[in-house]
Amino acid sequence: MVSRRVVVGSGLAVVAAGAGLHVAGRDDDLLRALGARPHPIPDESDTALLRTAASEQVSLVNAVEQLGGADETLVDVLREQLEALGGPPGDSAPPASEVTGGADVVARAVAAAARRRESDALTAVSPDLARVLASLAAGQAQVARTLGRRG
């Protein structure tokens, strides 16, 4: 016959081990080893980074579209980047472009956005989001360089 102390002690040991794995960030590994497929929960700061990047990308698309004689390829690149971010944020209507001026002004705005995305990529928790933001920064830098040559 098993005593209550053994049952309670074993239960506490299991809870302590589970808490230790959770704190160490290894609980998902244990669940996978047991055959479970844990559902990842996105980090709130990553969600905010993604939302900010998408909102700013909408503004950049609008700014480049408003340029007279803008190369449609650049607009397509910016739109593809927006789709890679999950599309425009659904919580509001698409904003009017906050960037106005010639190609040189828009190029500086796109270059500034590229620097922000590069910084965001370094602070992202998710490696996948870091890769997306780094790729976005590189693409935006290329668009800025192309616009700067025309400005």
Side-chain angles (χ1 to χ4, degrees):
M1 177 181 246
V2 178
S3 71
R4 280 188 266 179
R5 288 183 184 172
V6 171
V7 172
V8 170
S10 299
L12 287 175
V14 168
V15 169
L21 287 170
H22 181 72
V23 169
R26 305 298 297 198
D27 50 348
D28 285 349
D29 296 336
L30 176 64
L31 290 173
R32 282 187 194 93
L34 295 174
R37 299 184 73 191
H39 178 72
I41 299 173
D43 188 80
E44 288 181 30
S45 63
D46 280 358
T47 304
L49 288 174
L50 189 59
R51 199 173 318 124
T52 300
S55 293
E56 190 167 357
Q57 192 71 13
V58 169
S59 181
L60 295 176
V61 168
N62 291 339
V64 173
E65 283 178 334
Q66 291 172 6
L67 286 176
D71 186 348
E72 195 60 34
T73 304
L74 297 179
V75 175
D76 290 342
V77 166
L78 293 172
R79 282 189 184 139
E80 285 178 22
Q81 291 173 334
L82 180 59
E83 290 305 314
L85 293 170
D91 54 353
S92 63
S97 177
E98 299 171 6
V99 180
T100 56
D104 57 335
V105 173
V106 175
R108 284 194 300 272
V110 175
R115 288 188 298 276
R116 284 190 292 278
R117 296 301 79 81
E118 181 180 355
S119 175
D120 290 347
L122 294 172
T123 61
V125 174
S126 165
D128 292 333
L129 179 59
R131 283 189 288 275
V132 168
L133 292 174
S135 176
L136 177 62
Q140 288 173 335
Q142 290 175 334
V143 169
R145 199 168 301 129
T146 302
L147 285 172
R149 289 185 198 139
R150 295 178 185 176

